Amino acid sequence: MKYSNQTRLLVAVDCIIFGFDGTDYKLLLIQRGFAPEREKWSLMGGFIQPEESADKAAERILQQLTGLHDVYLEQIQAFSIPERDPIERVIALPYVALIDIEKYQTQINDDFHARWFTLKELPNLIFDHNEMVEMALNRLRYKAAFHPILFELLPEKFTLPQLQAMYEGLYDTKIDKRNFTRKVLSTKLLKKEKDKDKSSSKKGAFYYSLDEEHYKENFTNIHNFIPKNEIPVGTE
Amino acid sequence: MKYSNQTRLLVAVDCIIFGFDGTDYKLLLIQRGFAPEREKWSLMGGFIQPEESADKAAERILQQLTGLHDVYLEQIQAFSIPERDPIERVIALPYVALIDIEKYQTQINDDFHARWFTLKELPNLIFDHNEMVEMALNRLRYKAAFHPILFELLPEKFTLPQLQAMYEGLYDTKIDKRNFTRKVLSTKLLKKEKDKDKSSSKKGAFYYSLDEEHYKENFTNIHNFIPKNEIPVGTE
DNA sequence: CCAAAAGTGTTCAGCGTACACCCATGG
DNA sequence: CCATGGGTGTACGCTGAACACTTTTGG
């Protein structure tokens, strides 16, 4: 049995994949190998298949492109105006993904001609993908102010200066080192390691890693890592 | 031209319509006049039409049921598992609507057998609609802690005790009258009226109304109407 | 030995919270 | 006149913000 006299539509999932390389935020884009907009850059996307949910589709697509699974993925608002894709109407469910840029495996993506772009040098994207990125960034800035999601962007072991640089980069601001350290450590989300990263200073900075236990359990807690007046006027 | 070899799906919008009657939060439900699940209660929904966006579809559906337009409407996460509708696969885009219960016009809804239910006496709903309501409530509790969205539930003129009751109801808690008043007034979102509501006390409580200017402009600001430890561990 | 980044404590202001009494009025 | 709900002010603690010097070590 079916619902009669109703129009069925294509539904796609598009992944807005963010990474952080220690200095800049990057977005993973692919170069389309097919029309329309052949050769133009675009988010990695795909149609929802008959037997999968949107979440599964997003995981599948991310995995196809990056080889990664079990990454942070969050759905944002659907894009649905009828004209958004010139070929045919497609409803897009965008997902924000945060991945540790070091885990991204180059060999996987060859089919898609994927490349990381820093946010400052984003090309024009197809359709409304620039808008999606904008919306995703907004959400990220809003949510990261209260929840420890940015930690997803970091490698296993990272230093506090690195972490701080990530926050400073996202909000394009400077944060006081002492206050930042105190706040982050007070959440008990981090474990101090024994060794240091000497790559960016002579003294070396201690590595930290996520305390998985506390991380999951405190994930939704409201923290306060960045100064109030830097928190964007939110989309949530 | 079309995308080939792809499955097209039905996409529906479902409206989770909240109201507040001065004492309780209510949800507007309809009784299905058609199979499947005939006679069971459900959210008001409808398929997205070829020429409309999801937002427009939500507005249309809300308007069909309530006669209202220009109401608070916010999309939440898509529900997309393939089995969620036994008849045929349907992807649902749920929208949370907040309406002034007094503006709801009874005559409009006759076709749908609509009825308000308090949140405590919600019936079993079809499909995954109970889940949607749950998710909507969660979002509401989270967002209302920081943004003045609950004001949408109030009539033109309302009193501070009414407003407070609304917040207390949503978080199922008691709030200190003095602190609440101070916080709310400090936002400058309200204009004090000259007259009083005497319906619930002999002394009477002054009416307030929204200061439209400031309301829109401060809407996304982060306020702090309810005590910290009452804010739910958030979904956002 | 010096440049460069890491690490660490204290002070102060403002916000958030707790708390209790007087006011106005209809019955 | 009194019961009921409305309206108001203050004191305190804690959190968030501002701020500067010492430590380490590779070159």
Side-chain angles (χ1 to χ4, degrees):
Chain A
M1 205 168 94
K2 297 279 183 182
Y3 290 104
S4 49
N5 301 321
Q6 295 295 339
T7 310
R8 286 154 186 82
L9 305 169
L10 286 172
V11 184
V13 155
D14 288 308
C15 293
I16 301 127
I17 306 170
F18 291 109
F20 181 75
D21 69 0
T23 312
D24 291 304
Y25 280 85
K26 306 221 163 169
L27 184 64
L28 189 59
L29 296 173
I30 63 171
Q31 198 167 24
R32 280 168 77 93
F34 52 92
E37 309 270 17
R38 195 163 193 282
E39 305 252 309
K40 276 190 71 174
W41 293 95
S42 119
L43 296 171
M44 177 77 178
F47 295 113
I48 294 188
Q49 299 301 308
E51 69 296 333
E52 71 185 357
S53 67
D55 286 3
K56 288 288 178 222
E59 285 166 25
R60 169 175 59 79
I61 286 160
L62 195 77
Q63 141 95 292
Q64 274 173 21
L65 182 62
T66 65
L68 299 177
H69 48 87
D70 272 340
V71 306
Y72 181 86
L73 259 184
E74 183 185 352
Q75 192 193 117
I76 61 175
Q77 294 234 336
F79 280 64
S80 63
I81 66 172
E83 318 77 34
R84 56 175 295 280
D85 184 322
I87 296 293
E88 177 181 354
R89 181 166 193 191
V90 179
I91 297 206
L93 302 178
Y95 279 77
V96 182
L98 304 180
I99 71 175
D100 171 359
I101 214 164
E102 290 184 7
K103 287 203 188 130
Y104 168 71
Q105 299 153 31
T106 318
Q107 70 277 18
I108 300 281
N109 70 62
D110 279 0
D111 299 344
F112 303 106
H113 301 92
R115 217 193 96 189
W116 289 102
F117 288 82
T118 65
L119 295 186
K120 269 140 206 162
E121 56 185 31
L122 286 188
N124 274 334
L125 303 180
I126 62 161
F127 308 163
D128 45 11
H129 285 193
N130 284 299
E131 251 180 276
M132 286 185 193
V133 173
E134 210 38 59
M135 186 181 280
L137 255 181
N138 234 351
R139 166 66 139 271
L140 202 55
R141 291 203 177 102
Y142 189 85
K143 183 154 181 176
F146 301 117
H147 303 290
I149 55 177
L150 293 193
F151 294 27
E152 308 281 342
L153 295 167
L154 292 165
E156 280 304 313
K157 289 159 51 175
F158 51 89
T159 66
L160 291 183
Q162 275 170 39
L163 186 63
Q164 183 175 339
M166 240 176 42
Y167 278 90
E168 291 181 338
L170 184 59
Y171 298 96
D172 193 28
T173 187
K174 286 282 164 205
I175 301 177
D176 183 89
K177 196 166 39 164
R178 293 158 286 187
N179 293 335
F180 181 79
T181 309
R182 195 163 356 92
K183 282 181 189 178
V184 170
L185 292 182
S186 76
T187 64
K188 310 282 189 192
L189 289 171
L190 302 188
K191 280 201 309 252
K192 191 172 189 171
E193 301 287 324
K194 303 245 172 297
D195 49 339
K196 284 183 162 187
D197 166 38
K198 297 221 167 189
S199 67
S200 64
S201 80
K202 336 221 154 160
K203 182 175 179 183
F206 277 105
Y207 280 118
Y208 287 79
S209 63
L210 287 186
D211 184 335
E212 302 291 346
E213 291 303 307
H214 293 94
Y215 183 66
K216 294 217 163 134
E217 125 200 339
N218 283 326
F219 187 83
T220 50
N221 282 7
I222 293 181
H223 303 296
N224 181 28
F225 295 142
I226 67 157
K228 272 187 194 154
N229 55 345
E230 304 292 344
I231 299 176
V233 147
T235 323
E236 288 307 296
Chain B
M1 204 167 93
K2 298 278 182 181
Y3 291 104
S4 46
N5 301 322
Q6 294 297 340
T7 309
R8 287 154 185 82
L9 305 169
L10 286 172
V11 184
V13 154
D14 289 306
C15 294
I16 301 128
I17 306 169
F18 291 109
F20 181 74
D21 68 1
T23 312
D24 292 304
Y25 280 85
K26 305 219 164 170
L27 185 64
L28 189 58
L29 297 174
I30 62 172
Q31 198 168 24
R32 282 168 75 94
F34 51 94
E37 309 272 16
R38 192 163 196 282
E39 304 253 309
K40 274 189 76 175
W41 293 95
S42 120
L43 296 170
M44 177 77 177
F47 295 113
I48 294 187
Q49 298 301 308
E51 70 295 335
E52 70 185 357
S53 66
D55 286 2
K56 289 287 179 223
E59 285 166 26
R60 170 175 60 77
I61 285 160
L62 195 76
Q63 140 96 296
Q64 275 173 21
L65 182 63
T66 65
L68 300 177
H69 47 86
D70 273 340
V71 306
Y72 181 86
L73 258 183
E74 183 185 352
Q75 193 193 120
I76 59 175
Q77 295 232 336
F79 279 66
S80 65
I81 65 171
E83 318 76 31
R84 56 174 294 281
D85 185 322
I87 296 292
E88 178 179 354
R89 182 169 190 186
V90 178
I91 295 205
L93 303 178
Y95 278 79
V96 182
L98 303 180
I99 72 174
D100 171 359
I101 214 165
E102 289 183 8
K103 287 203 187 127
Y104 168 70
Q105 298 153 33
T106 318
Q107 71 278 15
I108 302 278
N109 71 61
D110 278 359
D111 299 346
F112 303 105
H113 301 92
R115 218 193 96 189
W116 289 101
F117 288 81
T118 65
L119 296 186
K120 270 140 207 164
E121 57 184 31
L122 287 188
N124 274 333
L125 303 179
I126 61 162
F127 308 163
D128 46 12
H129 286 193
N130 284 300
E131 252 181 277
M132 288 186 191
V133 173
E134 209 39 57
M135 186 182 281
L137 254 182
N138 233 352
R139 168 66 139 271
L140 201 57
R141 291 204 178 103
Y142 189 84
K143 183 155 182 177
F146 301 116
H147 303 290
I149 54 177
L150 292 193
F151 294 25
E152 307 280 342
L153 294 167
L154 291 165
E156 278 307 312
K157 290 159 50 176
F158 51 88
T159 66
L160 292 183
Q162 274 169 41
L163 186 63
Q164 184 175 339
M166 239 176 44
Y167 278 89
E168 292 182 338
L170 184 59
Y171 299 96
D172 193 26
T173 187
K174 284 284 163 202
I175 302 176
D176 183 90
K177 194 166 43 164
R178 290 158 289 189
N179 294 335
F180 181 78
T181 308
R182 194 160 1 92
K183 283 180 188 178
V184 170
L185 292 181
S186 76
T187 64
K188 311 279 189 195
L189 289 170
L190 301 188
K191 282 202 308 253
K192 190 172 189 170
E193 300 287 324
K194 304 245 173 295
D195 50 339
K196 286 183 161 185
D197 166 37
K198 299 221 167 187
S199 67
S200 65
S201 79
K202 334 223 154 156
K203 183 176 178 183
F206 277 106
Y207 280 118
Y208 287 79
S209 63
L210 287 185
D211 184 334
E212 302 291 346
E213 290 304 308
H214 294 93
Y215 182 66
K216 293 216 163 137
E217 124 198 339
N218 283 325
F219 186 83
T220 49
N221 283 5
I222 293 180
H223 301 296
N224 180 26
F225 295 142
I226 66 156
K228 271 187 194 155
N229 55 345
E230 303 293 343
I231 299 176
V233 146
T235 323
E236 288 307 291

